[in-house]
Amino acid sequence: MNPWQDFTNAESLSQEHVPLLRPDDFFASVDKLLTSTRAVAYFARPLGDSQELTAVFADDAANRLLTARTLVTETQIPQLSDRHPQLHRYERELAEYGLLSAPNLPRLRRPPLVGDSEEFHPVPGEDVHEVAVGPVHAGVIEPGHFRFQCRGETVYRLEIALGYQHRGLEAAWEGGPNARTRHYAETLAGDTTIAHTSAYARVLEALSGTRVPLRAEALRALGLELERLANHVGDLGALASDTGYLPTASFCGRIRGDFLNLTALVCGNRFGRGWVIPGGVAFDLDKPRAAELLKRLDVLTKETTDAVNLLWSTSSVLARMEHIGTLTREQALTLGLVGPAARACGLVRDVRFDQPVGMYRFQQIPVSTYDTGDVFSRTYVRWLEIQKSLTFVHDLVKNLPSGALSAPVGALKPNHLAVALEEAWRGEAAHAAWTSSDGKLARYKVIDPSFHNWTALEWALKGQEISDFPLCNKSFNLSYCGHDL
Amino acid sequence: MLRSLLTRLTQGHRTIGYPRQAPPALSDRYQGRPYADTSRCPNGCQACVQACPVNALHTNNGQLEVDLGACLFCTDCQTACPEKILEFTPEFRMASRDRKGLVVPLAEKGAITPEAFSREIRRLLGRSLKIRVVSAGGCGACEADVNVLSTIGWDWGRFGIQVVASPRHADVLLLTGPVTNNMELAVQKTYAAMAEPKLVVAVGSCAIAGGPFAGHQSVRGGAEQVLKVDLYIPGCPPHPLSILEGLLQSLNKIKH
């Protein structure tokens, strides 16, 4: 019998209900479970003289989560990423905390590079040359370092070094909740504010036994879909720009702003700051505001459709996108990809469908997939999702449930674990927290969707021309700050 | 081809008329410069001061002051105010050439207009200002609203302002984020690579005072810990209008 505890998204468990396994049993069952489930969280916290390792896996087919923990006293744990590459970044993170020491695992958040190649894995050979890019990039984007090993124009290997955005967020959560903790959730990835703040709120609600009113859940879903719409539309514009097709680039750049303004219509801020609070939402959508939102949404639906459909009828755009940066379905499964990048490889994987919480338990949204796994696929899946989100938002606003906007959040239960997942526009945003014996946050773990997907970009570049990098990069559009925390 | 031209026609001309015309309407819930009629504050009430997550509010000689450079414009103080007299006004015009200029009485309203750059700077750069943006921590929201200014809706190219890829081509180093320890070297190298005369603009509460990450060990806590700053534009993130207004005022390009 599997000793792991099963539970659902946004549920809390007391410490005694999270099975404590002997290290051997724990790692053996991790190895076994990962053949049929995927890792949602795999993190440690100090407990006395030892480290407590907690694993949370998702059994998407059963719409359940699984968890267990173990106590590790040695500085060495078995490296399972050799067999399960989806654990790779988790293990590097553990190595960074000094728990898992393995010489071949580089640290996840590296210090600044001063042109030192030794940290990277060079490709031997006379004709091979290295290209170093970053941390400061050409456009207005976040910092990260890319190291290409090329022969001619062909990329043999790409390594991505991150960590430049590290602000010490997880540690800052400890001892909370306090006046700042909600703002940490809002700013851990500023383009994913609603998703991360909702996940944070759900963790607190699960830990305090708070029931969120249905109207608040509906308004959270509205915020989450508007966030998705703005970012997906912006991405389509950026992808058009990188294929050299300026009409859609210009139109979508502007339309994205109008979607951000829809968010501002509700909460005053273009990025959804202040919209979600623990217990519910801070802003209501009154009748005149709902009418205004629907009116603007109708205009935007038409404008977006016109602008985006130009892409699919322009052969130069399609030629640039097809068969570039291709990942197979097997690679997506192996890496534990999430979000549009996973769905573009044909995986039916979406928190709103697999592990639904809040409004998504009542109003379903179809999972949009495409199966070619290339830049085109990742672009097209975004368009499919835009259309589904537009319909969803329309129906949602027309049939908003009545009721309160929030419920009071009481004290947190001591010695509990809570896990909350949200389908952010990039994919699964996971928050997990352990409380201490005095009901404070003892360990707070955030897994931004980018954490799973950065490796996919490295893999997608294998064998590509180096000039395809910007386009491939844009097709993933991953978060640096969400990864670096 | 025909279809793209037709779409171009229906999408229309979308660049805002500002600053010649009125700015585009902001959300009625937009959180601009905070204001309170502090004469109505109950004696000894410190509710707003205590609610602020980043200590942006304080009392100076019995007068409530707000540090707009630290402020997250998050409304936690508004929620905490027992008298409901604290509000966030629609005032988006906030920028200052010096850090102290952002510490203002809570009981005052209106624009905070930066002094113009020197005549020499305006002569050299007034019609062609090239900006190198460096994101040094933060959350990406400031970067997003800086990026927006290059889109057709805002088009700051109208004023000769342009984002450039190399520090060698740049007149302005526009910094966002609290300057993480891991980015400090890159920030200094970027600045060193720029030709004189060069200016530093700090955009957003992180770049000005560390934002929500102020006091964290992994961050330096703002641009001025590393470089001399010539213009501060507050907000979390600042609205694109605030950024545009701040730059245009400093270049003396807005005639009222």
Side-chain angles (χ1 to χ4, degrees):
Chain A
M1 199 194 98
N2 175 16
W4 288 45
Q5 175 70 41
D6 74 331
F7 66 124
T8 57
N9 185 2
E11 195 183 340
S12 71
L13 293 169
S14 70
Q15 198 169 14
E16 58 262 33
H17 284 108
V18 182
L20 179 64
L21 310 183
R22 287 194 312 118
D24 291 352
D25 295 340
F26 178 83
F27 292 112
S29 56
V30 165
D31 186 32
K32 189 157 163 274
L33 274 171
L34 278 182
T35 54
S36 59
T37 64
R38 61 187 180 85
V40 164
Y42 191 67
F43 63 101
R45 63 163 172 156
L47 215 62
D49 291 338
S50 38
Q51 297 267 356
E52 183 193 56
L53 189 58
T54 307
V56 181
F57 293 169
D59 183 353
D60 287 331
N63 314 114
R64 303 291 281 172
L65 298 173
L66 298 164
T67 186
R69 60 197 169 105
T70 190
L71 283 174
V72 187
T73 43
E74 304 101 84
T75 52
Q76 203 109 34
I77 58 170
Q79 185 177 324
L80 297 175
S81 53
D82 289 344
R83 287 166 46 75
H84 304 286
Q86 58 168 313
L87 283 184
H88 173 220
R89 278 179 188 267
Y90 292 106
E91 288 190 345
R92 280 174 64 178
E93 190 177 54
L94 291 170
E96 199 170 66
Y97 285 116
L99 184 69
L100 178 89
S101 62
N104 57 342
L105 284 174
R107 285 195 295 155
L108 199 59
R109 299 176 183 91
R110 309 187 199 204
L113 301 151
V114 200
D116 179 12
S117 311
E118 280 174 25
E119 286 187 55
F120 293 92
H121 299 86
V123 172
E126 263 184 27
D127 295 343
V128 179
H129 64 275
E130 267 192 344
V131 180
V133 181
V136 180
H137 299 301
V140 186
I141 44 169
E142 297 178 70
H145 182 91
F146 305 120
R147 188 67 64 102
F148 301 87
Q149 313 287 336
C150 300
R151 181 163 170 270
E153 294 285 299
T154 308
V155 178
Y156 277 54
R157 176 184 287 141
L158 162 63
E159 274 184 84
I160 302 174
L162 299 170
Y164 297 93
Q165 297 279 65
H166 180 58
R167 292 146 286 159
L169 270 175
E170 286 183 350
W173 247 296
E174 287 165 20
N178 57 43
R180 275 213 202 170
T181 43
R182 178 169 62 85
H183 302 291
Y184 291 146
E186 288 188 338
T187 56
L188 81 89
D191 51 19
T192 316
T193 294
I194 301 270
H196 277 299
T197 316
S198 297
Y200 164 71
R202 288 190 197 290
V203 162
L204 292 198
E205 288 149 11
L207 288 170
S208 61
T210 310
R211 274 194 198 172
V212 179
L214 192 59
R215 188 175 179 83
E217 290 289 14
L219 289 172
R220 278 182 184 178
L222 172 64
L224 191 62
E225 294 309 320
L226 287 180
E227 188 167 88
R228 188 180 331 276
L229 283 164
N231 282 298
H232 277 6
V233 169
D235 278 355
L236 292 180
L239 281 156
S241 171
D242 274 10
T243 54
Y245 189 66
L246 295 185
T248 302
S250 302
F251 304 148
C252 284
R254 195 266 308 168
I255 296 168
R256 168 183 168 275
D258 283 350
F259 275 112
L260 292 179
N261 288 339
L262 283 188
T263 299
L265 175 72
V266 180
C267 75
N269 183 289
R270 286 154 56 88
F271 297 90
R273 302 279 175 82
W275 184 320
V276 178
I277 54 170
V281 292
F283 296 92
D284 197 12
L285 189 72
D286 47 71
K287 281 228 168 78
R289 207 173 288 271
E292 170 71 17
L293 194 146
L294 285 177
K295 198 176 96 190
R296 289 203 217 168
L297 198 69
D298 282 346
V299 176
L300 286 176
T301 302
K302 192 185 169 304
E303 288 178 345
T304 311
T305 309
D306 285 353
V308 174
N309 276 338
L310 286 178
L311 292 177
W312 322 130
S313 58
T314 307
S315 52
S316 63
V317 171
L318 298 179
R320 190 72 189 87
M321 290 180 170
E322 285 167 353
H323 313 298
I324 299 291
T326 306
L327 287 174
T328 63
R329 185 188 153 84
E330 286 65 39
Q331 286 177 317
L333 280 170
T334 304
L335 286 176
L337 286 201
V338 294
R343 295 191 281 275
C345 296
L347 296 188
V348 181
R349 179 174 287 178
D350 189 322
V351 173
R352 294 171 293 174
F353 177 74
D354 298 320
Q355 313 278 350
V357 280
M359 202 59 196
Y360 299 102
R361 284 183 177 154
F362 304 99
Q363 190 178 335
Q364 272 82 30
I365 195 158
V367 183
S368 305
T369 63
Y370 202 73
D371 56 8
T372 50
D374 50 6
V375 169
F376 172 78
S377 193
R378 288 186 285 277
T379 310
Y380 196 64
V381 161
R382 284 184 171 90
W383 170 232
L384 296 175
E385 290 186 13
I386 287 170
Q387 298 173 77
K388 296 287 175 272
S389 291
L390 284 168
T391 314
F392 179 89
V393 167
H394 197 268
D395 294 348
L396 185 73
V397 174
K398 283 218 154 159
N399 305 295
L400 268 187
S402 56
L405 289 181
S406 64
V409 178
L412 307 188
K413 290 178 262 187
N415 297 322
H416 271 64
L417 168 74
V419 179
L421 315 178
E422 288 281 351
E423 185 68 18
W425 62 276
R426 282 193 188 93
E428 177 181 278
H431 286 222
W434 275 108
T435 51
S436 57
S437 53
D438 58 352
K440 299 284 181 206
L441 295 172
R443 174 80 170 99
Y444 200 89
K445 182 82 204 90
V446 176
I447 301 104
D448 186 82
S450 305
F451 187 84
H452 302 281
N453 287 5
W454 271 112
T455 314
L457 177 58
E458 294 177 339
W459 284 25
L461 250 285
K462 266 182 201 168
Q464 293 291 316
E465 297 207 353
I466 191 165
S467 52
D468 288 333
F469 175 72
L471 186 62
C472 283
N473 187 26
K474 206 64 66 71
S475 75
F476 287 94
N477 190 12
L478 300 172
S479 174
Y480 300 75
C481 53
H483 175 277
D484 293 349
L485 297 174
Chain B
M1 185 65 197
L2 208 60
R3 201 169 156 193
S4 68
L5 287 173
L6 204 65
T7 309
R8 169 69 189 82
L9 209 64
T10 51
Q11 296 269 345
H13 172 80
R14 305 304 287 251
T15 308
I16 59 166
Y18 188 77
R20 264 192 225 158
Q21 295 160 21
L26 298 177
S27 164
D28 59 332
R29 285 174 174 169
Y30 166 73
Q31 292 108 16
R33 181 177 174 182
Y35 164 78
D37 177 3
T38 48
S39 65
R40 289 164 61 198
C41 288
N43 260 346
C45 178
Q46 292 278 303
C48 57
V49 175
Q50 282 153 7
C52 182
V54 288
N55 303 320
L57 288 156
H58 58 263
T59 314
N60 187 9
N61 285 333
Q63 192 183 36
L64 264 176
E65 287 185 340
V66 57
D67 178 358
L68 296 173
C71 181
L72 303 180
F73 300 83
C74 71
T75 71
D76 285 357
C77 51
Q78 188 180 22
T79 312
C81 179
E83 299 294 312
K84 301 288 161 223
I85 53 175
L86 207 161
E87 57 171 311
F88 282 80
T89 67
E91 184 58 74
F92 65 84
R93 293 170 297 178
M94 290 173 280
S96 175
R97 293 289 310 284
D98 68 311
R99 181 70 183 83
K100 284 193 198 110
L102 294 176
V103 184
V104 292
L106 195 58
E108 278 178 17
K109 277 187 189 177
I112 298 166
T113 311
E115 243 178 72
F117 293 130
S118 72
R119 189 177 287 266
E120 181 62 8
I121 290 283
R122 280 184 282 136
R123 186 182 69 78
L124 282 168
L125 310 176
R127 287 186 295 175
S128 165
L129 191 74
K130 306 296 173 192
I131 300 183
R132 182 74 189 89
V133 180
V134 173
S135 162
C139 71
C142 286
E143 290 83 340
D145 266 352
V146 168
N147 245 334
V148 153
L149 290 165
S150 299
T151 64
I152 52 169
W154 302 85
D155 186 23
W156 61 359
R158 291 180 287 160
F159 312 102
I161 304 175
Q162 191 193 1
V163 173
V164 292
S166 168
R168 301 270 189 227
H169 304 155
D171 310 308
V172 169
L173 175 58
L174 191 154
L175 266 176
T176 59
V179 186
T180 55
N181 296 347
N182 289 353
M183 269 305 281
E184 184 178 350
L185 180 64
V187 168
Q188 277 167 343
K189 281 187 168 185
T190 303
Y191 185 73
M194 290 167 64
E196 297 279 358
K198 47 189 172 184
L199 301 164
V200 176
V201 178
V203 168
S205 59
C206 281
I208 299 175
F213 321 111
H216 287 199
Q217 279 180 1
S218 334
V219 305
R220 294 298 316 274
E224 65 186 7
Q225 305 301 322
V226 186
L227 298 170
K228 184 190 162 293
V229 177
D230 299 285
L231 178 66
Y232 299 86
I233 303 174
C236 191
H239 196 279
L241 266 177
S242 306
I243 304 171
L244 189 61
E245 164 83 17
L247 280 171
L248 293 183
Q249 289 286 5
S250 310
L251 294 168
N252 214 4
K253 286 200 172 192
I254 297 187
K255 311 271 183 285
H256 284 298

